[in-house]
Amino acid sequence: MDGNGRWAARRSLPRTAGHRAAETTVIDVIEAARSAGVGWLSLYAFSTENWRRPDTEITFLMHLVRRVVRKHAPLLHARGIRCRFLGMTDPRIPPALGRDIADLMTLTERNRGMTLTVAFDHGGRRDIVEAARSLIRSGVPADAVTEESFAAHLPFPDTPEVDLVIRTSGEQRISNFMLWQVAYAEWIFPPALWPDFRAPDFLDCIDAYRQRERRFGGVLPHQNGEPRS
């Protein structure tokens, strides 16, 4: 969800105004994904690298996320959405925010309409390092480690591999996002800044994804001389 700061700068507003405006887009995209039948939606809200931002901005973001969680928890639960937070290990996260997030996950843990994962204080490299440490602690011999056994030690191991990554604002970087899970993801980089991104834009990305031929390193039958079905 990229472009909040630039959205604010273009309007001669403080960066915090861009973060505040992003709330509408978050809810709009969640509703669009659920209506479109998306089973798993992940939103990258705050990375391990974002701790380098000014203290005033970080404080604002922590308060904003807490307000959004408390405000929209009833709606998310009513929609049958299961909520998860990927990350949340840094001791600088305010305890009150941690409690509200834990309450939201408990409230929605039995829901099966859609799984919403919010990557907050998330880093793909950190997840991989922690999975390696977990494997070592469990005593798995090196020769017995497989991709499947390694993935089982990642946070929320039931999360499927990512099919599509949408990064708004035209930036074209992975930025340490779910590095293991995005190995064969399709990528789309819409130019809209996140606060301007809306449900029709999201659905356009879904349509573009559906038109792509996913080969996963192989060759599709019709590319190997076989007729299309």
Side-chain angles (χ1 to χ4, degrees):
M1 302 184 290
D2 201 13
N4 296 348
R6 278 166 286 169
W7 184 91
R10 290 178 185 179
R11 292 160 176 76
S12 300
L13 297 170
R15 288 176 56 84
T16 52
H19 297 313
R20 189 179 293 110
E23 177 185 347
T24 299
T25 302
V26 168
I27 300 304
D28 205 39
V29 167
I30 291 172
E31 291 279 22
R34 187 185 67 86
S35 298
V38 173
W40 297 76
L41 174 69
S42 301
L43 301 176
Y44 201 5
F46 191 86
S47 73
T48 50
E49 291 76 26
N50 288 154
W51 289 108
R52 302 170 185 167
R53 295 187 177 189
D55 290 344
T56 53
E57 183 175 353
I58 290 174
T59 299
F60 176 86
L61 284 168
M62 297 297 158
H63 286 296
L64 176 64
V65 171
R66 188 182 183 206
R67 182 182 65 78
V68 169
V69 166
R70 293 170 67 90
K71 175 182 177 182
H72 296 289
L75 172 67
L76 295 169
H77 185 44
R79 293 287 193 268
I81 297 172
R82 176 174 58 169
C83 299
R84 292 174 165 180
F85 280 74
L86 178 63
M88 295 294 297
T89 63
D90 197 289
R92 288 172 288 185
I93 295 173
L97 173 57
R99 289 192 297 270
D100 286 338
I101 285 174
D103 289 344
L104 175 61
M105 290 194 293
T106 300
L107 174 68
T108 63
E109 64 184 353
R110 297 181 182 273
N111 294 342
R112 293 296 181 268
M114 180 176 78
T115 297
L116 170 65
T117 301
V118 180
F120 192 84
D121 179 38
H122 163 68
R125 285 182 173 178
R126 184 178 66 186
D127 284 354
I128 290 172
V129 169
E130 289 300 323
R133 289 173 175 167
S134 177
L135 271 169
I136 293 169
R137 286 193 296 267
S138 65
V140 177
D143 291 344
V145 176
T146 64
E147 291 186 9
E148 291 75 17
S149 65
F150 184 89
H153 288 260
L154 290 167
F156 303 125
D158 62 330
T159 302
E161 292 191 1
V162 176
D163 293 311
L164 170 65
V165 179
I166 302 168
R167 178 163 186 161
T168 56
S169 84
E171 296 289 346
Q172 299 184 20
R173 298 187 303 276
I174 297 177
S175 294
N176 204 13
F177 175 66
M178 298 179 79
L179 295 179
W180 181 272
Q181 296 90 339
V182 301
Y184 272 100
E186 298 290 325
W187 293 75
I188 295 179
F189 304 101
L193 303 176
W194 178 252
D196 292 327
F197 194 75
R198 286 293 180 269
D201 302 303
F202 177 79
L203 296 176
D204 285 344
C205 292
I206 296 294
D207 287 340
Y209 164 78
R210 287 171 174 161
Q211 295 173 31
R212 295 189 180 181
E213 294 183 330
R214 307 190 71 196
R215 297 184 296 276
F216 298 97
V219 176
L220 296 175
H222 72 84
Q223 297 171 325
N224 196 32
E226 298 180 25
R228 288 180 180 269
S229 58

